[in-house]
């Protein structure tokens, strides 16, 4: 029997994926797993039972990843589950930037009591005219789950699309339209495109990537769309670029005091994944990840440990070991099991930077003594035996 806690409301269609072997708890001290969306976890004290945290969404800034790793707690996210919702809002943002629809709507509201509204609108509408996106060049930085969808959709809208991602995955490459131009450098994309949409994670190498230097390489009147992370754009540089007119529009899904209210900034209150479908998809994927890990030991979409999969656990016992990525760990594990005359039927080992994960299937029962001695090996973070 497993216990799970929800730190935020999680879509019921996801919760329903738990079977009778799962019980909901309101206390983290007794939880085997935690489901979370936006709740801050950095100041939480984790119970010794906690084995996994699943973020029903992509970003994990609210979770202390290293602390979790050192305590042998696997953190999952749900990449791609909200991709379509974000893609649709990016397209909406691009259309709102191309034509001053918001300005026009505001004008109508301000003049709603004018008895001659329709006639006055015909005179006023030229102030809100814009341009069509058909035939314009769109640059997509980052061709992951969302970037690929944005790029492909823009092709169908008649845009000329440039994509840049030096680390594009095989799966993403297969999904990418063959009509997309592959930019060799991000500078090439900056120089060519009328619209630039950012879809990269917030890493030390990407924070502030849209800065004064990058903007100086772009076309005058460029429109920049940021539905990825606020920290990817240097806020001060963007405000200056908007006020000077070198950037025509900045559309962002991340409201900050710095950018809110600035002329030609369209600021949306973080609505990218706020659709019923996205929330349902994230919840279902998060629960699926948790169940597969708790029941089979498989890791899929972890952000602090390597992904590793040995399929459904068959007869016998499955030993799962979260440990530091240091030499001779496998030798110590297998050597200890050999001394106990335990036959290994299947084994997998994966590493990710400073952490690693080992799964071992054996055809015998694993005693508490063996489990304890495995856990005492230097570098081991957590041992779990699934019978």
């Amino acid at each position: 029997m497993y216990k799970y806690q929800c730190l935020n409301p999680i879509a019921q269609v996801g919760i329903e994926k738990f079977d009778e072997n799962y019980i909901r708890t309101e206390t983290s001290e007794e939880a085997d797993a935690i489901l979370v969306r936006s709740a801050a976890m950095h100041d939480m004290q984790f119970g010794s039972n906690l084995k996994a945290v699943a973020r029903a969404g992509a970003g994990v800034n609210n979770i202390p990843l290293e602390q979790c790793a050192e305590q042998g707690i696997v953190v999952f996210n749900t990449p791609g589950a909200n991709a379509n919702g974000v893609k649709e809002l990016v397209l909406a943002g691009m259309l709102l930037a191309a034509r001053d629809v918001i300005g026009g709507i505001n004008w109508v509201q301000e003049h709603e009591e004018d008895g001659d509204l329709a006639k006055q609108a015909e005179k006023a509408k030229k102030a809100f005219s814009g341009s069509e996106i058909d035939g314009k060049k769109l640059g997509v930085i980052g061709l992951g789950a969302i970037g690929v969808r944005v790029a492909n959709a823009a092709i169908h809208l008649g845009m000329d699309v440039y994509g840049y991602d030096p680390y594009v995955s095989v799966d993403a490459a297969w999904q990418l339209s063959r009509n997309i131009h592959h930019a060799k450098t991000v500078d090439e994309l900056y120089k060519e495109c009328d619209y630039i949409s950012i879809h990269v994670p917030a890493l030390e190498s990407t924070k502030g990537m849209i800065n004064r230097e990058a903007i100086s390489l772009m076309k005058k009147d460029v429109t920049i769309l940021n539905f990825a992370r606020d920290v990817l754009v240097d806020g001060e540089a963007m405000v200056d670029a908007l006020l000077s007119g070198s950037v025509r529009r900045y559309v962002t899904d991340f409201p900050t005091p710095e950018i809110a209210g600035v002329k030609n900034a369209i600021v949306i209150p973080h609505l990218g994944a706020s659709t019923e479908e996205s929330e349902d998809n994230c919840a279902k994927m998060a629960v699926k990840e948790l169940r597969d890990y708790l029941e089979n030991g498989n890791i899929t979409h972890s952000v602090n440990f390597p992904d590793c999969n040995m399929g459904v656990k068959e007869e016998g016992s499955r030993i799962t070991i979260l440990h530091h990525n240091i030499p001779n760990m496998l030798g110590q594990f297998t050597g200890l099991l050999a001394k106990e005359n335990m036959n290994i039927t299947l084994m997998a080992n994966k590493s990710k930077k400073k952490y690693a994960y080992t799964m071992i299937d054996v055809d015998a029962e694993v005693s508490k003594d063996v489990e304890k001695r495995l856990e005492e090996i230097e570098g081991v973070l957590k041992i779990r035996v699934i019978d």
Side-chain angles (χ1 to χ4, degrees):
M1 193 69 69
Y2 298 105
K3 294 183 179 181
Y4 68 92
Q5 181 188 23
C6 298
L7 297 184
N8 297 105
I10 302 295
Q12 188 60 30
V13 293
I15 298 301
E16 289 171 355
K17 296 296 181 181
F18 285 126
D19 64 16
E20 65 277 3
N21 294 312
Y22 290 81
I23 299 173
R24 185 161 178 169
T25 178
E26 298 304 320
T27 61
S28 56
E29 288 79 11
E30 60 181 23
D32 294 287
I34 289 176
L35 284 158
V36 63
R37 290 175 61 199
S38 59
M41 299 183 67
H42 285 277
D43 295 328
M44 284 183 63
Q45 296 295 317
F46 301 125
S48 59
N49 286 333
L50 188 61
K51 301 168 182 65
V53 173
R55 159 77 163 95
V60 289
N61 295 345
N62 56 320
I63 304 171
L65 300 182
E66 182 131 0
Q67 177 189 338
C68 286
E70 289 297 325
Q71 292 183 232
I73 301 166
V74 179
V75 179
F76 298 92
N77 68 348
T78 57
N82 59 13
N84 190 68
V86 178
K87 175 209 76 177
E88 290 186 0
L89 195 62
V90 171
L91 297 177
M94 187 157 51
L95 293 168
L96 289 173
R99 307 173 71 169
D100 191 9
V101 178
I102 295 174
I105 292 171
N106 290 339
W107 183 91
V108 171
Q109 291 179 337
E110 290 166 6
H111 296 80
E112 60 184 351
E113 296 182 3
D114 190 334
D116 200 16
L117 180 59
K119 185 175 181 181
Q120 293 300 320
E122 288 301 316
K123 295 179 180 178
K125 68 181 184 181
K126 62 183 178 182
F128 312 113
S129 62
S131 59
E132 299 178 14
I133 63 173
D134 183 36
K136 301 298 189 299
K137 293 180 180 179
L138 168 67
V140 179
I141 304 173
L143 297 169
I146 298 170
V148 164
R149 286 176 181 247
V150 170
N152 289 345
I155 288 287
H156 292 295
L157 291 172
M159 301 190 80
D160 194 11
V161 180
Y162 289 69
Y164 174 75
D165 191 336
Y167 308 109
V168 63
S169 70
V170 173
D171 285 345
W174 276 107
Q175 295 174 43
L176 202 58
S177 169
R178 61 191 177 94
N179 295 314
I180 291 167
H181 306 282
H182 295 275
K184 293 183 175 62
T185 67
V186 72
D187 289 359
E188 177 188 346
L189 185 146
Y190 290 155
K191 293 172 183 176
E192 291 289 335
C193 296
D194 306 293
Y195 294 82
I196 293 172
S197 191
I198 316 161
H199 300 284
V200 298
L203 307 172
E204 287 306 314
S205 58
T206 60
K207 289 178 181 177
M209 64 180 292
I210 304 299
N211 52 25
R212 294 182 193 279
E213 182 181 356
I215 292 170
S216 72
L217 298 174
M218 298 176 190
K219 285 184 174 182
K220 184 174 172 58
D221 290 341
V222 67
T223 292
I224 299 171
L225 303 109
N226 178 14
F227 288 77
R229 285 290 176 270
D230 59 335
V231 295
L232 302 174
V233 174
D234 180 328
E236 185 178 326
M238 181 56 67
V239 170
D240 290 347
L242 287 168
L243 296 179
S244 70
S246 58
V247 170
R248 181 170 177 261
R249 290 273 196 276
Y250 176 52
V251 190
T252 179
D253 202 24
F254 305 99
T256 62
E258 189 173 35
I259 201 69
V262 175
K263 185 179 180 181
N264 294 324
I266 299 174
V267 185
I268 302 168
H270 203 191
L271 300 180
S274 295
T275 67
E276 291 181 13
E277 294 86 351
S278 287
E279 291 178 8
D280 288 353
N281 290 339
C282 287
K284 289 187 285 188
M285 184 184 289
V287 171
K288 182 180 179 182
E289 292 165 353
L290 286 178
R291 287 198 59 179
D292 197 23
Y293 178 63
L294 294 174
E295 297 168 27
N296 299 304
N298 296 321
I299 296 179
T300 305
H301 299 145
S302 173
V303 293
N304 62 346
F305 281 99
D307 284 5
C308 189
N309 193 308
M310 288 209 317
V312 176
K313 189 193 82 66
E314 303 292 348
E315 292 183 3
S317 298
R318 176 167 290 178
I319 305 168
T320 68
I321 311 171
L322 298 162
H323 56 94
H324 286 127
N325 184 22
I326 53 181
N328 197 35
M329 295 301 284
L330 277 180
Q332 293 183 78
F333 301 152
T334 57
L336 192 154
L337 296 175
K339 287 180 181 178
E340 295 296 319
N341 293 317
M342 300 183 74
N343 184 45
I344 295 174
T345 58
L346 190 63
M347 183 170 67
N349 171 264
K350 298 287 184 179
S351 63
K352 183 177 184 177
K353 296 183 179 178
K354 61 189 287 190
Y355 298 105
Y357 185 54
T358 299
M359 303 173 71
I360 304 172
D361 281 356
V362 294
D363 59 5
E365 184 178 341
V366 181
S367 68
K368 291 294 182 183
D369 178 63
V370 169
E371 188 175 343
K372 185 173 183 293
R373 283 192 285 150
L374 283 169
E375 198 161 35
E376 288 174 348
I377 293 174
E378 187 176 353
V380 169
L381 300 165
K382 184 172 283 188
I383 292 278
R384 191 160 63 95
V385 176
I386 306 171
D387 292 318

